[in-house]
Amino acid sequence: MKIILTQEVSGLGAPGDIVEVKDGYGRNYLLPQGFAIAWTKGAEKQVTVIKRARSAREIRDLDHANEVKGQLEGLKVNLKARAGDGGRLFGSVTPAEIVDAVKGAGGPVLDRRRLEVPGHIKSTGSYPVKIKLHPEVTASFNLNVVQG
């Protein structure tokens, strides 16, 4: 079955890629979850729109990735979250909240899907967060979750 990916699927490809998958995987998982659309000639024209949007978000090259890595590693990122007694959060911290906190701290705009968070953040404290900026460059920074 030929499909066009609309989101990044690890081990398969990036948005806009046209891939061949087994019928059951495509029909029962990728299409219902919204990770892909069925391939047609008309849908293939949409690929250019998807790729254009991806290129605007993506890190341009290795030098740009190293520059962004330098910005991130020198950054102090604090995230205020509602917490009860003992520092336990009401809910957990999402990648979108982390991206907003980085942007609020004066850092670059990041793609939340590239964040690697160590498990679920459900209490206040300091947590190491990694982000894959480029296939060869991974940046890390500390996220301080404070009661707010």
Side-chain angles (χ1 to χ4, degrees), residues 1 3 21-35:
M1 166 179 235
I3 58 168
V21 295
K22 295 203 175 195
D23 290 346
Y25 182 51
R27 189 172 41 250
N28 297 325
Y29 177 70
L30 295 174
L31 294 175
Q33 294 291 328
F35 293 139

Side-chain angles (χ1 to χ4, degrees), residues 3-6 14-18 36-54:
I3 58 168
I4 300 170
L5 296 176
T6 56
D17 289 349
I18 300 171
I37 56 175
W39 178 87
T40 61
K41 287 185 181 179
E44 192 167 354
K45 292 178 185 174
Q46 289 179 325
V47 170
T48 58
V49 175
I50 294 170
K51 285 189 176 182
R52 198 174 319 130
R54 178 176 58 172

Side-chain angles (χ1 to χ4, degrees), residues 13 25 31 49-50 66 76 89 92 113 132 143:
Y25 182 51
L31 294 175
V49 175
I50 294 170
N66 285 324
K76 292 184 191 264
L89 300 181
S92 63
R113 293 178 292 255
K132 192 166 188 167
L143 173 71

Side-chain angles (χ1 to χ4, degrees), residues 81-91 122-125 145-148:
R82 291 184 51 218
D85 294 336
R88 188 135 169 91
L89 300 181
F90 298 125
K122 293 187 175 240
S123 60
T124 58
V145 180
V146 293
Q147 188 169 355

